[in-house]
Every structure is written in C-alpha cells, then in structure tokens.
Amino acid sequence: MADSIQQQLQQLVLLSDSVGTAGAGVGAGSVSTVEEAMEQLGPLIHSVYRANKQKLFRQQVDLFAQRKDAEIMKLCGSYHQEFVQSVAQLLKVRQNTSELQEKVVGLNAELQLSGKSLYEKKAELLSLRREHGNIQDAADVVRGCLDVVRMVAGFDEQVAGKQYYSAIKTLGVLKDQSLPQVRRFAFGRMLESSIPHMETKLQAAALKDMKDWLFGLKKTTRDIGCHLTGRMQRKQGMWAERDAAIQERYFVSSTVQFVLDEEYDHDEPLAVDMMPLYQCLHINEKLGRRAEFRRSFTEDRSDQLSLILASPVQFALAQLAPFEAMLFDVIGFFVVEHGILASAPDFRSKADVDTLWDAGIAKLSDIIARSIQTIRGDPAISQALQGSLTTFTYIMEENAYDVRKLRELMMAIFGA
C-alpha cells in the first residue's frame, strides 16, 4: 500500500513538473493538464480515506517531501562553490564599480574645476578681445578725427597761401567724405557747423583777390587804351597814305580797312591776367553762389565805369590830356569786358556788356554836351577832339562794339 502511494505521488510530481514547464505559455493544453492532475489526485485521496490510511498517507507525503528536499540539497551542494565564487566575483565587481564610481566622481569634480577655469579664461579672453576691439575702434576714430583736423588746418593754410583751387577741393572732401564719418561725435558736429563759415572765408578771400585785381586793372586798362590808340593812329596814317596813292577816289569802310591791314598788323596785344576772376568764379560755382557773385561783379564793373567817367575834364587845347586819359581808360575797360565775354560767355552775357556800353556812351555824351559851346567855339579844340573820338570809334568798332551812337554824336557835334 505504501509503495502504491509513493508511486502515485511520484506520478503527481512528474505531472506537476510537466504542468510547471508548460505553464510558461498560457493555453488550452496547460489547463487540461492541470485538470488531469486534479482528477488523479481525487481518486487517490478517496482511496486513502476509504482504506482509513490517512496516517500512512501523511507519512508517505512527508517522506516524499524529505526525499525531494534531499535532492534539492544535493543539487545545491553541487553548485555551491561556483555560487560562492560568483558571489565573490560579484562583490569584487561591486567594489571595483564603487572605486570606479569614486574615480569618475573625482574626475568629474576635476573636470568641473578645469571647465570653470577654462570658462573664466575664455570669458577673460572675450573681454580682452572686446577691449582690444574698442581700443582699435577708438584709435581709428582718433585717426579719422586727426585727419579731419589736419584737413581743416590745411584748408586754412591753403586759403592763407591763396591756393584756392586746393582749398575748394579740401572743403569738398571734408563735406562729402571726412565729416560724415565723425558726425556722431560732438567734435564732428562742431566742425560740420563751421563749414558755412569756412565757405564764407574762402569766398571772401577769393573775392578780395578779385577786387584787388579789379583795382589793379586801372593802370592796366589805361596802358591797353594807350597802346590800342597808338596802334590805331598808325593804322589811320597808313589809310591816309593808301588813299593818297589812289588816283580814283572812292569810299572804303573801316571794316574793309581792318581786313586790308591784317597782314601788316604785327603788334602783339597787351595780355591781361584774368586768373583772379576765373578763380573767384570757380570758387563761387563750387559753393553754389554763382548768381550772387555775378550780381556783385556786374555792380562792381558798373561802379568802376562810373568812376572812370566821373574824372574831371576840361575842353581846352592845353588841357585835353585828362579827356584822352579817360578815353584810354574806357577803351581798356571795354577791351577787358570783351575778353571776359569771349572766355566766359555763360558768366558775362553780351546783353550785360551792351547795357554797360550804352550807359558809358550816354555818360560820355553828357560830358561832351556840357562843354559843347567851348568845343564849337574853338576850331583847334574841335579838331583835336574829333581826331580823338574818331580813333576811339575805330578801336571800339574793331572790338565788335556798336558805334552807331558814337557816329551820331560826332555827326551832331562836328557835322561830319
């Protein structure tokens, strides 16, 4: 009976082992195996109770459990040494891991310190680079400001040295290139605000030179008038000789006479240096003050002509020299005007010169009209005056001036 119980228990254990092995996968097969084991256990217990062998069954179960415990202990004893070694190795690995962790923590701390130092050095380097950049920018600005100061100083030297073309160029570079770069500074804004003063200074200097030139023209114009009068008197002598050699008398106009004399006329005209005028004109054009300068020049020339024609004259035979000097001045004055008109027609228009010429002839007519009785009363004076006016008329006609009013004046005075 005991053997039978042991065998049945052994089958149940084997069946339970198969159930445990199959239990990894949940399915209909595992459920049926469990049910089969329960079905076998039920009849066994029933037979034990029917035979009244409960005590024996418990003893067999205990023996079976002890045997299984012994098998488990035997199995564990076989692998105990390996287990112990594995545990020892695991502890050693754990210890090494702890040491490695400590080293990693230490290395991390060192790395943190090194990184902090590197960060500080990097921040210091960036700060130094910013400072260097600021210093470089400041140096560039200072150099730019020094360049501007040098240009301003150079401008003053150029104006003082009458180098007006260089001064206007310097002023243009200052306005267009240099000052915009330093405008953001108070220094630059202060210099920029002084530009109108610098322009006025340059214009005033050039205008002063031009006025000095106009004042100096007084002697030059008289020399020009005297030279052209002597030249025309020689031509008149040639015309008289030519007329005397011609058997058949006929009228030849002065224009034709001028053409005939061209190949014999080798006199060099007196040169007039007009550089101060052109220089002043250029400066005023660059400064945008051309119209203002043109009005000023027109007024100055009108005043000059009035001063020439305001000279006191007397019509006496021994005192015609002042009147002849006045004619020299008028000739030189309008020859200069003719030269300006020819060289700068966009500045000095023909209408301006013609207006001035008409005013001069009207004033000259008034001067002669005030002494008309004296002139007509003395044939010698009348003849001398007629000769001077005739030469004057030829000279002005040769320089492209309208002399019809002069001829009308001579016709009115001398009747021829």
Side-chain angles (χ1 to χ4, degrees):
M1 182 65 180
D3 293 337
S4 177
I5 292 173
Q6 286 293 326
Q7 290 175 357
Q8 290 179 353
L9 288 174
Q10 184 67 37
Q11 291 177 355
L12 287 174
V13 170
L14 292 174
L15 184 61
S16 65
D17 288 342
S18 64
V19 173
T21 305
V26 179
S30 63
V31 174
S32 62
T33 305
V34 172
E35 292 176 351
E36 184 179 354
M38 293 302 294
E39 289 177 356
Q40 290 182 8
L41 182 61
L44 176 61
I45 294 173
H46 178 71
S47 63
V48 169
Y49 274 90
R50 189 175 53 191
N52 198 18
K53 298 295 182 179
Q54 295 91 339
K55 184 177 180 181
L56 179 62
F57 179 74
R58 283 195 299 272
Q59 290 175 354
Q60 292 301 318
V61 170
D62 290 338
L63 289 174
F64 182 79
Q66 289 174 4
R67 190 166 54 250
K68 289 299 180 183
D69 287 340
E71 291 176 0
I72 292 171
M73 290 299 294
K74 182 179 179 181
L75 182 63
C76 290
S78 301
Y79 295 100
H80 176 71
Q81 187 63 32
E82 296 177 3
F83 177 75
V84 171
Q85 291 176 355
S86 298
V87 170
Q89 290 177 357
L90 183 61
L91 290 174
K92 186 176 181 180
V93 169
R94 182 179 180 183
Q95 182 181 0
N96 293 338
T97 303
S98 298
E99 293 176 357
L100 181 61
Q101 185 177 4
E102 291 176 0
K103 290 181 180 179
V104 169
V105 171
L107 182 61
N108 182 60
E110 293 178 1
L111 184 62
Q112 291 290 336
L113 291 175
S114 177
K116 183 179 179 181
S117 176
L118 179 62
Y119 173 78
E120 292 174 352
K121 294 293 184 183
K122 182 67 175 179
E124 185 179 358
L125 178 61
L126 291 175
S127 177
L128 290 174
R129 283 181 178 176
R130 283 194 296 270
E131 291 178 5
H132 180 268
N134 293 336
I135 293 172
Q136 188 65 38
D137 292 342
D140 292 341
V141 169
V142 170
R143 279 194 292 270
C145 292
L146 287 176
D147 290 341
V148 171
V149 171
R150 291 191 190 97
M151 292 182 71
V152 172
F155 171 83
D156 291 335
E157 292 175 359
Q158 289 164 352
V159 172
K162 301 184 184 300
Q163 301 173 9
Y164 300 131
Y165 290 113
S166 299
I168 193 64
K169 184 178 180 181
T170 299
L171 191 60
V173 173
L174 271 173
K175 289 169 60 178
D176 300 334
Q177 300 178 20
S178 300
L179 285 179
Q181 297 178 1
V182 297
R183 186 179 293 150
R184 62 185 184 275
F185 307 111
F187 165 78
R189 291 191 293 273
M190 180 187 68
L191 282 180
E192 191 172 31
S193 65
S194 68
I195 287 294
H197 172 72
M198 296 172 69
E199 292 178 345
T200 302
K201 180 179 180 180
L202 176 58
Q203 182 192 28
L207 190 61
K208 181 181 181 301
D209 282 1
M210 195 272 295
K211 288 184 179 292
D212 291 343
W213 171 75
L214 284 178
F215 181 79
L217 274 181
K218 184 175 182 181
K219 181 179 184 307
T220 304
T221 53
R222 180 166 294 185
D223 291 341
I224 291 173
C226 183
H227 171 77
L228 292 179
T229 298
R231 175 171 166 270
M232 183 54 67
Q233 286 174 347
R234 290 193 295 274
K235 284 187 177 183
Q236 287 176 289
M238 292 173 56
W239 297 348
E241 293 177 1
R242 188 184 299 152
D243 290 344
I246 297 175
Q247 299 275 334
E248 186 177 350
R249 303 301 300 262
Y250 55 88
F251 175 75
V252 179
S253 69
S254 56
T255 305
V256 175
Q257 297 281 18
F258 294 150
V259 173
L260 293 174
D261 291 342
E262 281 183 356
E263 61 177 308
Y264 304 106
D265 187 8
H266 302 297
D267 286 351
E268 291 292 333
L270 294 180
V272 178
D273 180 16
M274 294 189 182
M275 179 59 70
L277 172 62
Y278 298 147
Q279 193 167 242
C280 193
L281 175 60
H282 176 74
I283 296 300
N284 281 273
E285 282 181 345
K286 290 295 184 180
L287 296 178
R289 303 178 183 181
R290 178 189 176 90
E292 176 187 345
F293 173 63
R294 182 178 178 181
R295 286 193 300 270
S296 174
F297 184 80
T298 300
E299 292 172 0
D300 289 343
R301 292 298 280 169
S302 179
D303 292 342
Q304 256 192 328
L305 181 61
S306 297
L307 286 174
I308 291 173
L309 295 174
S311 302
V313 294
Q314 292 183 359
F315 290 95
L317 188 59
Q319 297 177 346
L320 278 181
F323 181 75
E324 290 176 347
M326 177 190 292
L327 291 182
F328 294 161
D329 291 341
V330 172
I331 291 170
F333 179 91
F334 282 104
V335 167
V336 170
E337 283 292 325
H338 179 72
I340 296 173
L341 177 63
S343 60
D346 56 339
F347 169 67
R348 196 76 170 136
S349 69
K350 190 174 187 306
D352 293 338
V353 178
D354 288 343
T355 300
L356 204 59
W357 168 250
D358 292 340
I361 295 304
K363 183 65 176 177
L364 190 62
S365 299
D366 290 341
I367 293 172
I368 295 174
R370 286 197 297 267
S371 302
I372 190 66
Q373 297 299 329
T374 303
I375 295 170
R376 287 180 174 176
D378 191 332
I381 295 176
S382 179
Q383 184 177 1
L385 183 59
Q386 183 179 11
S388 296
L389 289 177
T390 299
T391 302
F392 175 75
T393 301
Y394 286 150
I395 294 171
M396 301 316 296
E397 183 180 19
E398 189 177 24
N399 285 275
Y401 285 96
D402 186 358
V403 295
R404 287 176 296 180
K405 291 184 179 179
L406 270 175
R407 295 192 189 282
E408 291 172 2
L409 175 64
M410 293 175 63
M411 181 67 69
I413 298 173
F414 307 113

